[in-house]
């Protein structure tokens, strides 16, 4: 395939930034999107130009590092995949592909397509830890009975990889799906009950402090989430916050 790429280039957070057009040729439909970006960067390096900076790590849809806004959609046109799992067979020969960073006040651009998502780390840090008896009288993990339904729901919430697609997709740049998932994975289990009230209050307070918007139930976050995190987690977080404040 021969493609035209319109890519956001920005030197740093203080730079105004602009879209720059590039041509790539002989792209295989079997390539991943990031492999296509590797081809472009090799081409740029060979011609003495600055390669496009973009986040990536595992390239297996696990780490949550890759974060591109492709043709107006977080992680691109496919569903249930991250950018690294997106394949070029989703595009046609001659297509023009627009590639931008995840845009949100709380996700400042570091360079080109790389954004600072450390706000998510600070929210998780605010949640603290769960109490564990380490006095020599520790319980076996299987000694605490948990219903299959609760275990499944907690595991579903815990699949959140913190990529930030929910924020990038939301018209309000809300992080409530992310925070809801992180609150839910503990709120559903007995081990998370001791600090439950402090956890949800501290995480929501930090989310607001970071400058994320509020949720208006549009649902774009759930649709674009590569792990299919449910909006039910936002409702659960709101219930947990209400209980904690009451």
């Amino acid at each position: 395939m021969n493609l035209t790429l319109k890519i956001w280039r920005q030197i740093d957070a203080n730079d105004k930034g602009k879209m720059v057009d590039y041509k790539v040729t002989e792209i295989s439909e079997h390539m991943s999107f990031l492999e296509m970006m590797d081809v472009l960067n090799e081409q740029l390096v060979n011609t003495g130009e600055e390669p496009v900076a973009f986040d990536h790590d595992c390239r297996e849809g696990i780490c949550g590092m890759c974060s591109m806004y492709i043709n107006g959609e977080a992680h691109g046109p496919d569903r249930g995949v991250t950018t690294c799992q997106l394949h070029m067979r989703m595009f046609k020969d001659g297509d023009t592909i627009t590639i931008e960073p995840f845009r949100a006040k709380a996700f400042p651009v570091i360079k080109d397509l790389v954004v600072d998502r450390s706000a998510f780390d600070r929210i998780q840090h605010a949640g603290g830890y769960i109490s564990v008896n380490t006095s020599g009288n520790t319980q076996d993990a299987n000694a605490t009975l948990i219903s299959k339904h609760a275990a499944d729901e907690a595991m579903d919430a815990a699949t959140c990889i913190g990529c930030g697609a929910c924020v990038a997709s939301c018209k309000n740049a809300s992080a409530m799906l992310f925070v809801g998932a992180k609150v839910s994975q503990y709120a559903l289990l007995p081990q998370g009950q001791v600090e439950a009230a402090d956890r949800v209050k501290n995480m929501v307070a930090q989310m607001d402090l970071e400058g994320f918007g509020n949720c208006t139930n549009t649902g774009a976050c759930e649709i674009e989430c590569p792990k299919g995190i449910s909006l039910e987690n936002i409702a659960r977080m709101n219930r947990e916050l209400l209980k904690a404040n009451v």
Side-chain angles (χ1 to χ4, degrees):
M1 290 187 289
N2 299 327
L3 303 165
T4 300
L5 307 178
K6 292 182 176 292
I7 301 178
W8 182 259
R9 302 303 307 264
Q10 185 172 340
I11 297 172
D12 54 35
N14 299 318
D15 182 37
K16 186 177 180 180
K18 63 181 179 179
M19 300 297 291
V20 179
D21 291 0
Y22 298 100
K23 301 282 187 182
V24 288
T25 59
E26 298 181 7
I27 298 298
S28 168
E29 64 175 9
H30 303 298
M31 283 183 179
S32 72
F33 199 86
L34 294 191
E35 287 172 335
M36 182 275 294
M37 292 296 295
D38 291 338
V39 170
L40 170 65
N41 277 346
E42 185 176 356
Q43 176 181 306
L44 293 176
V45 169
N46 288 339
T47 56
E49 298 179 66
E50 182 76 13
V52 178
F54 61 91
D55 268 329
H56 63 97
D57 192 357
C58 73
R59 299 201 178 202
E60 293 180 348
I62 298 169
C63 69
M65 281 297 292
C66 54
S67 53
M68 295 184 191
Y69 206 68
I70 302 164
N71 285 349
E73 296 181 87
H75 295 306
D78 208 352
R79 288 291 173 267
V81 299
T82 54
T83 301
C84 62
Q85 295 173 303
L86 178 67
H87 281 80
M88 296 312 297
R89 54 179 168 268
M90 297 297 296
F91 304 94
K92 300 189 298 293
D93 183 38
D95 275 358
T96 297
I97 304 174
T98 302
I99 310 169
E100 300 173 84
F102 282 0
R103 298 194 183 277
K105 178 184 176 182
F107 287 169
V109 173
I110 296 174
K111 183 178 181 180
D112 296 338
L113 305 175
V114 179
V115 298
D116 181 357
R117 285 170 287 179
S118 59
F120 274 8
D121 296 329
R122 291 188 289 273
I123 291 171
Q124 292 192 87
H125 293 166
Y129 301 90
I130 61 170
S131 291
V132 177
N133 188 341
T134 58
S135 64
N137 188 31
T138 53
Q139 285 186 319
D140 185 88
N142 295 322
T144 305
L145 297 179
I146 302 171
S147 71
K148 176 72 162 57
H149 180 69
D152 286 347
E153 284 199 318
M155 182 60 75
D156 288 344
T159 59
C160 169
I161 57 175
C163 66
C166 50
V167 176
S169 303
C170 179
K171 62 184 180 182
N172 307 317
S174 172
M176 289 186 74
L177 191 68
F178 167 77
V179 180
K182 297 306 176 186
V183 167
S184 291
Q185 71 184 64
Y186 297 112
L188 288 159
L189 302 175
Q191 293 90 337
Q193 298 309 308
V194 179
E195 296 87 4
D198 287 340
R199 180 183 300 111
V200 67
K201 286 194 291 185
N202 291 341
M203 291 182 78
V204 170
Q206 186 66 38
M207 174 182 70
D208 292 339
L209 187 64
E210 296 292 345
F212 291 105
N214 209 338
C215 174
T216 49
N217 295 315
T218 303
C221 54
E222 181 179 4
I223 293 172
E224 299 290 353
C225 175
K227 300 302 177 183
I229 303 296
S230 172
L231 287 174
E232 291 178 4
N233 291 291
I234 296 179
R236 185 177 294 106
M237 179 187 69
N238 287 334
R239 290 195 298 271
E240 291 292 320
L241 183 61
L242 181 61
K243 284 193 299 182
N245 286 325
V246 169

